[in-house]
Amino acid sequence: MDRDILDFTKSISFDKRLAPYDIEGSIAYAQMLGKCKIISKKEKDLLVKGLRSLKERIGRIPLENNEDIHTAVINLLRKEIGKTADKLHLGRSRNDQVVLDLRLYCKDEVKQVIEKIKKLQRSLWERAKDWRGLTIPFYTHLKNAQFILFAHQFLAYIGMLERDKGRLGDVFKRMDIMPLGSGAGRGSGLPLDRFYLAKKLNFSQVSENSLDSVSDRDFVIEFLSTLAILSMHLSRISEDFILFCSDEFGFIEGDDSHFTGSSILPHKKNPDPLELIRGYTGKMYGNLISVLVMMKGLPLSYNRDMQLDKPPLFDSLDIIKDSLNILEKIVSKLKVNKENLKRASSNEFIFATDIAEFLVTQGYSWQEAHNLTGKLVLESIRKKKPLKEMSDKELKKIIPELTQELILDFLDPLKSVRRIKTYGGSGPESVENQIKHWGKILR
Amino acid sequence: MDRDILDFTKSISFDKRLAPYDIEGSIAYAQMLGKCKIISKKEKDLLVKGLRSLKERIGRIPLENNEDIHTAVINLLRKEIGKTADKLHLGRSRNDQVVLDLRLYCKDEVKQVIEKIKKLQRSLWERAKDWRGLTIPFYTHLKNAQFILFAHQFLAYIGMLERDKGRLGDVFKRMDIMPLGSGAGRGSGLPLDRFYLAKKLNFSQVSENSLDSVSDRDFVIEFLSTLAILSMHLSRISEDFILFCSDEFGFIEGDDSHFTGSSILPHKKNPDPLELIRGYTGKMYGNLISVLVMMKGLPLSYNRDMQLDKPPLFDSLDIIKDSLNILEKIVSKLKVNKENLKRASSNEFIFATDIAEFLVTQGYSWQEAHNLTGKLVLESIRKKKPLKEMSDKELKKIIPELTQELILDFLDPLKSVRRIKTYGGSGPESVENQIKHWGKILR
Amino acid sequence: MDRDILDFTKSISFDKRLAPYDIEGSIAYAQMLGKCKIISKKEKDLLVKGLRSLKERIGRIPLENNEDIHTAVINLLRKEIGKTADKLHLGRSRNDQVVLDLRLYCKDEVKQVIEKIKKLQRSLWERAKDWRGLTIPFYTHLKNAQFILFAHQFLAYIGMLERDKGRLGDVFKRMDIMPLGSGAGRGSGLPLDRFYLAKKLNFSQVSENSLDSVSDRDFVIEFLSTLAILSMHLSRISEDFILFCSDEFGFIEGDDSHFTGSSILPHKKNPDPLELIRGYTGKMYGNLISVLVMMKGLPLSYNRDMQLDKPPLFDSLDIIKDSLNILEKIVSKLKVNKENLKRASSNEFIFATDIAEFLVTQGYSWQEAHNLTGKLVLESIRKKKPLKEMSDKELKKIIPELTQELILDFLDPLKSVRRIKTYGGSGPESVENQIKHWGKILR
Amino acid sequence: MDRDILDFTKSISFDKRLAPYDIEGSIAYAQMLGKCKIISKKEKDLLVKGLRSLKERIGRIPLENNEDIHTAVINLLRKEIGKTADKLHLGRSRNDQVVLDLRLYCKDEVKQVIEKIKKLQRSLWERAKDWRGLTIPFYTHLKNAQFILFAHQFLAYIGMLERDKGRLGDVFKRMDIMPLGSGAGRGSGLPLDRFYLAKKLNFSQVSENSLDSVSDRDFVIEFLSTLAILSMHLSRISEDFILFCSDEFGFIEGDDSHFTGSSILPHKKNPDPLELIRGYTGKMYGNLISVLVMMKGLPLSYNRDMQLDKPPLFDSLDIIKDSLNILEKIVSKLKVNKENLKRASSNEFIFATDIAEFLVTQGYSWQEAHNLTGKLVLESIRKKKPLKEMSDKELKKIIPELTQELILDFLDPLKSVRRIKTYGGSGPESVENQIKHWGKILR
């Protein structure tokens, strides 16, 4: 075999990550071969013992000389127990073996990602609790819309992440299918007990068609897609935080040990880790696309192209786990700048919608209420007189129902949010309920 | 407003597709406003009646003059029932309204796509039944691997598509959440009964956070991702069929009314529709990417960018429904060319793996069995003598267990598949079971 | 032919856009056939006359009944001049014809896009000229870095767009190759004069290999890629403007007729068109990906998949031309808010880098200069005393070279930018030179 | 700084690849500082000497402890020559330094990729020369179209690759711009001679706007896009070869040392490396998308996200250079199976188009010629009598111009290609010309 081509086709540099799963699968396979009398009890015991010993040590053995992880494991086992090792070839092909390894790996990873999401949610929840009394404008079109409780925004993030967990749970179901026994693609002439294998390896189902079993990488793509959406969520949270950290917004501040400072401006802190989390979204999308493209138009069954499903998957998992860790750290020490939040509430016109809503409850039609409030705002601008300085007379000339007292009431952000009544809204009661709800779930 | 900018920001050219859902949502909203005494019973009745009448007619009304479908519906309603129409603005914003419309639409579409998949599965199942007695090589690396029953390949396709249905079912759960009552993003000061709305509109849940409700487009992306995977499956099936239709393979043939002929070669039939199905995968991936990119790094809550979630979604749904229809048609009339299938079984060396497997059952180690079979094949090539013509003596010199009779047995594709014993494999029993299994599911 | 399949494979709904190019190509083809004596002069004259007449009218003729634009043109021509129309089939195939049409179309579109970029550059240049005397912080990590002339940022945009023009010019070269005469893929037995065709159709080259000619869609992908990068630039400019329009930044303001107002807050203007320009980047990327994916792994030569190159191309061109138009409009009427720009210069610490740079010119090492400036900043924070209020004594205690007068000098944004000396930097001289430079180019 | 966050933000694991370029840039920078009297001659000499010594050794020094390559180089230099090393900070920022390094790196890589393409073209050209006398069907819709010279297909590949070289040359122009002296984004107060730097570093231009200089990553995206198209070409060539290697086509064969064999079937050779080349297209597209997405909507100027431009770029370059190497190797030893090529010419109906073309030269209209040929083909099928066995009488009954002798002539693939007359077509003369043309270019 040509040296360069061998190097080009080798997968050991990345699939060595599957080593523990490959051994785990082989142990179960040996046990099944024994149970089905395809090999003797003695052979089975020898195989299992050798594999278990190998599992302990494999992390410390250089594997680079092998073509792939499956060959590496057999070669090492042969060194340990002799040619009985080759009995593992009976009825098994690399085509079904690699799918098994990958499914075992993915199932583990799903659980880890879910745990990390949960940890991040908990930190967000802590902030929501801390800042339940603070108000902040929420933004549409990056313009101030109306006031909300700051907690409400963090609760929104928690909800976004909860959907990610739901998706991961669904992907898990389609990973949880045992492919071994499909051979190269048509099954085997040996009486392999695939249900026994599934039980041993903790799978809830056995695959139903051998050809499909070795051709299917849906679960990889679905995983990558789920992680891409999760990453999009992290990019949005990061964007919000980057904005809120800017000199112009100034609502929040990261910890000194988290944000990159400058030797000149010790207090100047750049939100570098947040920018990287946002930037990594590109890679996450790219990894998804790369496997989708690789699978496009491939005839059944196994094609060597499919070996390339692993690097993007491994990369996306490394990125997302790091990103979740880092974001959790940052959120856990996020500080709020109350002064700047207060300054943000000085824009009287944010409250115009509140006034219009009030007028509607006073019997005005929606259109009238909007028109009248618009007039009031224009008057304030024209006269260069803030609303709160307008006299009862001036107010009533435009809207008879208004008084200065009422206006002062309207211009209070906390009173503004207290008027919210809907389930899931940013009213104090709803926010308290949300906090309680998540408190139970994230316990 | 500048004319060009108005045209640039208008969404009516595509969101008019949401008209029935927008009206349906408005009817429920009017009923809720009435039920909560926010409007009078008379107003409620007027609104509902007007909307119902509009629903009948809207398909025939040109809507292009309006900015978007929500404005179009209100404008038409105002023409019909006067300014009571504006009561629908109470507590509702376009931000939550558009999400409602889109969720209603998506839920409907999921069901339609599932139905179409099912229909295609049924046609594939018919072919599997018809061709259960035929053998065909299965392919790894596009090289002949071993023989399978032709039915087995079609059953693989059915299984692939079944996963698509599973994914669609999961996406549906996350679509089935009622957002109305979130207003522009913080809820409303009016006592809107969101649970009543959910019931009326047949949603199983109410959204938990108003800010998230108007910012979330996960369900669109998830839908597009699911459709992208489905489309990848269709591209693989198409690729198989295109190969099988080629002059060199010649295993199957499309119906004259399905494949494009030539005026010179009436029997020459190009698999154009299959190529288009394969090619559309590009668009399906592109549409997925376009919404992922659009959402990347967007701050909460609503941004106008999000309007652009619709064209890719609508496009992908049109493509996938067409592709499923067309592929179903083609499969339903697919013909097999038995002569060419027979020719494909003349390659004796496909059976080498069978011989090796037989030797293993005779007590040879896996490695010995492989080596001996390799030798036999080489001998046949060296002597330019087909295996089936080798005498007992010639055979036994290499492998004592072999006889000419045995070899002739091995060279029979049907006998080859009959040796397969595993669950989910391509053995006749397993294939029969699969056919029965799907017969029940696809009934 | 099955009705549904016919509809599925038809391309007339989108390729009708190529009508004028198809006719133009056919006119040249007829002339060449005449010149090469493949048809008679009379036939040639009849064809040319018929095609010219058709070119006038085709915009008003419904074409939807035809399969594609090529058939449509021939059918209409046959109606006009009888069966001489079919002479156009001599030596020509739809495979080479569609590439010709597409190349003609693309060449035209490149020119249009370049014109629109130029127009946008001119508007940006007007703003640069108007605002050359204003200062603004530039941003790294969305944090204030140092002061620049506002003009410098607009000149950066102009430079970005100039690269786009360069790329378009390069793509043009690879479009400018005449494919006709390649037939279905192997050329023709007729003595077609391809160089004559190139001359007539204003191509600078003739394609060198017939098989490649009908298989190649590089120019479409390259065009889409160039447009995707251009769109990325527009997304960055839009993002800057959206930020600068936010209540918190408040540096610039869009025209009332450009930004979407609210009935309540007539002065509240949402930058919707900018958000859409930013959001469309998703579609632009998606369109690029869709054609890349479609072409992946296609065997030579023509496959029907390739028909799907057109919808993404047309869509991207529509989007980019609209986006350029709209952005140009917005820029042409952009207003600056000088008060807010002034406020942005109140952050004394932005100037710290200036102080450090000054110290370096005074002989301090880079590290000392940074450390000392850092100390000064800390002292100001510790004492809650702005730099400009610190006495000479206080200043000199930390940095002997400093005086209050000097500090006041440093805290002047205009003086800050005047210290910049490098070519291409934001110093007034460099900015003037840039303005002059672009003034000449964009004339 | 938090350990995990430090690890997350570090770039040394990948940007160490830029080490030689970083040092090269620093040498030039030191020389320029000396030349401009910003540092003394002695300092300049010390810096240059230290950097040159470091350049020799850096490949053997572990760098992982540093944050990035720029810091690593300064730290190592400081160890070597003391704090004079910090003089390199004067007027320089990591923002402009990293762009310089990346531009130097990219320029080198472009040249390498072009060299590798050229080598592959040469091998393809050798095959074209060898196989100029052989005929093969060309394919549209993967169906036999007509016969071409096998060389013609290889010449098509050469032409595709030539366009890639053209694109790379164009990208090079936009890489060849010197950014140093842009500082963090606004230039510097020091009188840096940027033109001197450009000359020293072999750049043909100096960047025109400092803000754009540090914000621009167009050249990375453009490079990735160019490589993505190149990779698409390789995927198409690979697909052709995989098809041609299949048992059913069997036109060509890879070398034993290139294709993966089986222990059982020593002659069975799987085209694994070709499948990987095809599969890698996914990664190449993904890498392109990841940088496009990362840049979308980023405000000016530098954001930390932009650090993530490197891993996809490096990955794509590794993949493409490997793929070009491997494909060149394979092509250089490709064998043709003449027997199977002959078998492929037994399908008489491929020649039908030739007959129709002949009839047109005999004065038949295009439509008549097609109809008559169609009739002839049908008659042959109906009678189950090959064309070549039909008597003169039988032939003439349908087409008076035909004789058996003529038909035998038509059924000769070589004679078929000899009838091709067009420039760039697959006629022997055109093919010879193409071979000569490329022979000169690829010398």
Side-chain angles (χ1 to χ4, degrees), chain C residues 11-12 15-16 18-19 21-23 26 51 54 58 63 66-78 85-86 88-89 92-102 180 217 302 307 310:
Chain C
S11 55
I12 191 71
D15 68 14
K16 64 183 169 197
L18 299 176
Y21 304 100
D22 195 77
I23 297 176
S26 289
L51 285 162
L54 188 56
I58 198 154
L63 305 167
N66 298 280
E67 192 195 336
D68 56 35
I69 187 59
H70 323 300
T71 327
V73 167
I74 289 287
N75 288 346
L76 288 167
L77 188 63
R78 201 182 294 112
D86 290 306
L88 285 170
H89 287 303
R92 196 172 66 164
S93 149
R94 278 188 288 188
N95 293 3
D96 58 349
Q97 196 178 350
V98 70
V99 185
L100 176 77
D101 295 3
L102 205 50
L180 222 52
R217 292 298 184 274
Y302 181 78
Q307 167 175 310
K310 278 167 227 70

Side-chain angles (χ1 to χ4, degrees), chain B residues 2 4-5 8-9 257-258 272-273 275-276 278-280 282-283 286 290 293 298 303-305 308 326 329, chain C residues 2 4-5 8-9 257-258 272-273 275-276 278-280 282-283 286 290 293 298 303-305 308 326 329:
Chain B
D2 180 275
D4 289 347
I5 292 191
F8 186 65
T9 52
S257 70
H258 292 168
D272 294 67
E275 295 173 278
L276 288 171
R278 180 180 63 186
Y280 268 128
K283 204 75 195 307
S290 76
V293 172
L298 282 192
N303 301 278
R304 189 66 180 261
D305 322 49
L308 302 174
I326 298 303
K329 284 211 171 200
Chain C
D2 180 276
D4 289 348
I5 292 190
F8 185 66
T9 52
S257 70
H258 293 168
D272 294 67
E275 295 172 279
L276 287 172
R278 180 180 62 187
Y280 268 129
K283 204 71 195 309
S290 76
V293 172
L298 282 192
N303 301 278
R304 190 67 180 261
D305 321 51
L308 303 173
I326 298 303
K329 283 211 172 201

Side-chain angles (χ1 to χ4, degrees), chain A residues 1-5 8-10 14 67 94 239 242 256-261 271-287 289-291 293-294 297-299 302-308 311-312 319 322-323 325-326 329-330, chain D residues 1-5 8-10 14 67 94 239 242 256-261 271-287 289-291 293-294 297-299 302-308 311-312 319 322-323 325-326 329-330:
Chain A
M1 193 76 180
D2 179 276
R3 187 76 229 161
D4 289 347
I5 292 190
F8 185 66
T9 53
K10 276 167 77 169
F14 50 86
E67 192 194 336
R94 279 189 287 189
E239 175 79 10
I242 291 168
D256 284 0
S257 70
H258 292 169
F259 281 11
T260 319
D272 293 67
L274 293 171
E275 293 172 279
L276 288 172
I277 291 171
R278 179 181 62 188
Y280 268 128
T281 311
K283 204 73 193 309
M284 301 293 292
Y285 291 4
N287 286 336
I289 271 297
S290 76
V291 184
V293 173
M294 181 269 282
L298 282 192
Y302 181 78
N303 302 278
R304 189 67 179 262
D305 323 48
M306 289 155 76
Q307 167 175 310
L308 302 174
I319 290 173
D322 276 355
S323 297
N325 274 349
I326 298 303
K329 283 211 170 198
I330 291 170
Chain D
M1 192 77 180
D2 180 275
R3 188 76 228 162
D4 289 348
I5 291 189
F8 185 66
T9 53
K10 277 167 76 169
F14 50 85
E67 193 194 336
R94 278 188 287 189
E239 175 78 10
I242 292 168
D256 283 1
S257 70
H258 292 169
F259 281 11
T260 319
D272 293 68
L274 294 171
E275 293 172 280
L276 287 171
I277 291 171
R278 179 180 63 187
Y280 268 128
T281 312
K283 203 75 194 311
M284 300 294 292
Y285 291 4
N287 286 337
I289 271 297
S290 76
V291 183
V293 173
M294 181 269 282
L298 282 192
Y302 182 78
N303 302 277
R304 189 67 179 261
D305 322 49
M306 288 155 75
Q307 167 175 310
L308 303 174
I319 291 172
D322 277 354
S323 297
N325 274 348
I326 298 304
K329 283 210 171 200
I330 291 171

Side-chain angles (χ1 to χ4, degrees), chain B residues 1-5 8-10 14 67 94 239 242 256-261 271-287 289-291 293-294 297-299 302-308 311-312 319 322-323 325-326 329-330, chain C residues 1-5 8-10 14 67 94 239 242 256-261 271-287 289-291 293-294 297-299 302-308 311-312 319 322-323 325-326 329-330:
Chain B
M1 195 75 181
D2 180 275
R3 188 74 227 162
D4 289 347
I5 292 191
F8 186 65
T9 52
K10 277 168 77 169
F14 49 86
E67 192 194 337
R94 277 188 288 188
E239 174 78 10
I242 291 168
D256 284 0
S257 70
H258 292 168
F259 282 11
T260 319
D272 294 67
L274 293 170
E275 295 173 278
L276 288 171
I277 292 171
R278 180 180 63 186
Y280 268 128
T281 312
K283 204 75 195 307
M284 300 294 291
Y285 291 5
N287 286 337
I289 271 297
S290 76
V291 184
V293 172
M294 182 270 282
L298 282 192
Y302 181 78
N303 301 278
R304 189 66 180 261
D305 322 49
M306 289 155 76
Q307 167 174 311
L308 302 174
I319 291 173
D322 277 354
S323 297
N325 275 350
I326 298 303
K329 284 211 171 200
I330 291 171
Chain C
M1 194 77 180
D2 180 276
R3 188 76 228 160
D4 289 348
I5 292 190
F8 185 66
T9 52
K10 275 167 79 170
F14 49 86
E67 192 195 336
R94 278 188 288 188
E239 175 79 11
I242 291 168
D256 284 1
S257 70
H258 293 168
F259 282 11
T260 320
D272 294 67
L274 294 171
E275 295 172 279
L276 287 172
I277 292 171
R278 180 180 62 187
Y280 268 129
T281 312
K283 204 71 195 309
M284 300 293 292
Y285 291 5
N287 286 337
I289 271 298
S290 76
V291 184
V293 172
M294 181 269 281
L298 282 192
Y302 181 78
N303 301 278
R304 190 67 180 261
D305 321 51
M306 289 156 76
Q307 167 175 310
L308 303 173
I319 291 173
D322 277 354
S323 297
N325 274 349
I326 298 303
K329 283 211 172 201
I330 291 171

Side-chain angles (χ1 to χ4, degrees), chain C residues 355 358-359 362 392 395-396 400-412 415 419:
Chain C
I355 299 175
F358 161 76
L359 293 179
Q362 300 300 303
D392 280 11
L395 291 167
K396 281 177 189 302
E401 280 76 4
L402 289 185
T403 62
Q404 200 177 21
E405 205 190 329
L406 217 47
I407 280 290
L408 287 174
D409 240 46
F410 277 124
L411 300 193
D412 180 333
K415 287 191 179 155
R419 274 185 291 273

Side-chain angles (χ1 to χ4, degrees), chain A residues 120-278:
Chain A
L120 170 57
Q121 285 179 309
R122 256 185 235 120
S123 276
L124 291 163
W125 182 75
E126 292 288 343
R127 291 300 74 69
K129 270 203 314 181
D130 295 349
W131 300 345
R132 63 175 85 178
L134 301 174
T135 56
I136 189 176
F138 84 93
Y139 292 80
T140 54
H141 314 274
L142 202 63
K143 300 288 281 187
N144 290 339
Q146 289 179 281
F147 278 94
I148 56 169
L149 291 173
F150 206 172
H152 198 55
Q153 183 130 1
F154 281 75
L155 293 162
Y157 300 147
I158 297 174
M160 284 155 68
L161 294 167
E162 191 67 15
R163 280 193 298 279
D164 294 308
K165 281 157 63 184
R167 269 183 289 271
L168 286 165
D170 288 335
V171 180
F172 187 88
K173 293 184 304 188
R174 275 175 293 272
M175 289 169 180
D176 195 20
I177 294 167
M178 212 289 303
L180 223 50
S182 303
R186 71 165 204 175
S188 168
L190 297 168
L192 311 171
D193 187 340
R194 302 185 61 220
F195 293 94
Y196 178 86
L197 278 170
K199 209 178 136 194
K200 278 278 162 192
L201 289 164
N202 210 16
F203 278 94
S204 69
Q205 281 179 71
V206 150
S207 67
E208 302 286 338
N209 180 292
S210 54
L211 203 63
D212 181 31
S213 299
V214 302
S215 312
D216 167 30
R217 292 298 183 276
D218 287 10
F219 63 101
V220 174
I221 299 175
E222 212 181 332
F223 201 1
L224 284 168
S225 163
T226 300
L227 297 178
I229 300 177
L230 168 53
S231 153
M232 180 268 282
H233 287 165
L234 302 188
S235 84
R236 299 187 73 184
I237 299 175
S238 296
E239 175 79 10
D240 274 352
F241 289 175
I242 291 168
L243 284 169
F244 290 176
C245 284
S246 70
D247 298 306
E248 284 74 13
F249 282 73
F251 297 164
I252 58 171
E253 223 176 280
D255 192 76
D256 284 0
S257 70
H258 292 169
F259 281 11
T260 319
S262 127
S263 56
I264 303 186
L265 299 168
H267 67 297
K268 193 199 171 184
K269 288 180 291 186
N270 292 330
D272 293 67
L274 293 171
E275 293 172 279
L276 288 172
I277 291 171
R278 179 181 62 188

Side-chain angles (χ1 to χ4, degrees), chain B residues 73-206:
Chain B
V73 167
I74 288 286
N75 288 345
L76 289 167
L77 188 63
R78 201 182 294 112
K79 251 188 223 162
E80 176 114 351
I81 66 166
K83 62 184 190 163
T84 304
D86 290 305
K87 293 280 170 178
L88 283 170
H89 287 304
L90 294 172
R92 195 171 66 163
S93 151
R94 277 188 288 188
N95 293 2
D96 58 349
Q97 194 178 349
V98 70
V99 186
L100 175 77
D101 294 3
L102 205 51
R103 286 179 176 273
L104 287 168
Y105 168 78
C106 284
K107 284 171 66 179
D108 254 21
E109 290 291 319
V110 163
K111 287 176 202 158
Q112 286 180 37
V113 176
I114 288 178
E115 264 323 297
K116 282 178 193 302
I117 295 177
K118 210 168 166 181
K119 208 173 159 209
L120 170 57
Q121 286 179 309
R122 255 185 237 123
S123 276
L124 290 162
W125 181 76
E126 292 288 344
R127 290 299 75 67
K129 270 202 315 180
D130 295 347
W131 301 344
R132 62 175 85 177
L134 301 174
T135 56
I136 190 176
F138 83 94
Y139 292 80
T140 55
H141 314 273
L142 203 59
K143 300 289 280 188
N144 290 340
Q146 289 180 280
F147 277 95
I148 56 169
L149 291 172
F150 205 170
H152 198 54
Q153 183 130 0
F154 281 75
L155 293 162
Y157 300 147
I158 297 174
M160 285 155 68
L161 295 168
E162 191 67 15
R163 280 193 300 278
D164 294 308
K165 280 158 62 186
R167 269 183 288 272
L168 287 165
D170 288 336
V171 179
F172 187 88
K173 293 183 305 189
R174 276 176 291 273
M175 288 169 180
D176 194 21
I177 294 167
M178 210 290 304
L180 222 51
S182 303
R186 70 166 204 175
S188 167
L190 297 168
L192 312 170
D193 187 340
R194 302 185 61 220
F195 293 93
Y196 179 86
L197 278 170
K199 209 177 136 194
K200 278 278 163 195
L201 288 164
N202 209 16
F203 279 95
S204 69
Q205 282 179 72
V206 150

